[in-house]
Amino acid sequence: MPRATLHNRQDSLERALNLFWQKGFHATSLKDIEHALDMRPGSIYATFGSKDGLFQEALDCYSARSLREMESLMASHDSPLTALATYIRKLGGLRDCEVPSRACMLAKSLLELGEREQAARDKVEMLLANMEARFRQAFADARDAGELIDPERPAHQPERLGRRLQAEVMGLRAYAQREGESEAVRQLAEDIAQDIEALKVNNTH
């Protein structure tokens, strides 16, 4: 595929991602997609197959972007726990960011999709599981590095910590979607970040 065509396809996919993230799957009409992508229906179907196919590609794009951001933070810190705390503090500034929605696109889709969209729902479940696995790996890396306090404690097992962190992230982003003050979201994020730092051996907080 020519480079220009690849670029145009990726640009269209990014536009679709923002549209679905803002409006959700059901509330997004074909007319919305035509307008956002500046494409005729025939071109949309030729390029992406269907509305469902476009949506699933948008989900993949969203997840890949989120994981890249996560990996960048992990690579920039020697301590996995410090990296996770930094990740959470960054989420605390969501209300000050220009994004289609402050809520997680995957979480929104999980709540919206039903049996008629089973393939897309399965995709959401898989992508959420991938993110939880990355959190779990970060806690496992902290344990293996001797950074995790009381690693034999059941509540400190990487699987439980990863699951808990994903639930906290989903909740934090849902809370940020509400009308309210940015400071409240930042404080919630700070509380979660400090809980993560409290897991660190010789933590001084």
Side-chain angles (χ1 to χ4, degrees):
M1 187 179 293
R3 180 173 298 180
T5 303
L6 281 171
H7 172 76
N8 292 339
R9 191 181 195 282
Q10 184 61 34
D11 178 68
S12 295
L13 187 56
E14 292 282 348
R15 290 168 182 250
L17 185 162
N18 290 335
L19 179 63
F20 284 125
W21 188 5
Q22 178 185 30
K23 300 191 67 171
F25 178 77
H26 291 299
T28 299
S29 68
L30 182 57
K31 284 294 183 183
D32 292 329
I33 296 171
E34 290 177 40
H35 179 74
L37 275 59
D38 193 21
M39 294 172 67
R40 295 183 179 275
S43 297
I44 294 171
Y45 285 112
T47 305
F48 298 104
S50 64
K51 175 185 173 182
D52 182 72
L54 175 59
F55 179 66
Q56 291 197 46
E57 286 200 47
L59 290 171
D60 282 328
C61 185
Y62 175 88
S63 178
R65 178 194 296 174
S66 299
L67 284 171
R68 282 196 303 270
E69 291 174 358
M70 178 72 175
E71 293 299 340
S72 177
L73 276 175
M74 298 303 297
S76 64
H77 293 80
D78 293 332
S79 161
L81 295 182
T82 298
L84 288 175
T86 302
Y87 172 78
I88 295 297
R89 288 188 173 104
K90 184 178 178 181
L91 290 180
L94 270 172
R95 289 191 59 84
D96 302 319
C97 298
E98 291 294 330
V99 291
S101 172
R102 299 180 190 103
C104 170
M105 182 180 177
L106 299 179
K108 288 180 67 174
S109 300
L110 183 68
L111 296 174
E112 177 189 14
L113 299 174
E115 293 182 359
R116 290 184 301 175
E117 303 86 29
Q118 191 60 51
R121 185 179 175 86
D122 289 344
K123 167 82 71 174
V124 170
E125 290 276 11
M126 180 191 72
L127 296 175
L128 282 170
N130 289 346
M131 195 64 183
E132 181 179 324
R134 188 61 189 90
F135 290 150
R136 183 169 64 246
Q137 184 59 53
F139 285 115
D141 291 343
R143 177 200 60 198
D144 295 344
E147 184 180 28
L148 191 63
I149 194 171
D150 197 7
E152 299 304 317
R153 182 179 174 185
H156 288 184
Q157 296 303 300
E159 181 175 357
R160 288 182 60 174
L161 290 171
R163 185 184 306 131
R164 174 185 169 185
L165 183 56
Q166 183 172 62
E168 289 175 327
V169 168
M170 292 168 72
L172 177 65
R173 298 196 64 160
Y175 189 88
Q177 184 71 10
R178 296 177 55 194
E179 294 298 326
E181 296 183 0
S182 298
E183 183 56 33
V185 180
R186 279 194 289 270
Q187 187 56 63
L188 284 171
E190 182 61 28
D191 290 344
I192 297 171
Q194 289 187 19
D195 285 346
I196 293 172
E197 291 172 334
L199 296 168
K200 193 172 183 180
V201 173
N202 297 325
N203 174 57
T204 57
H205 286 275

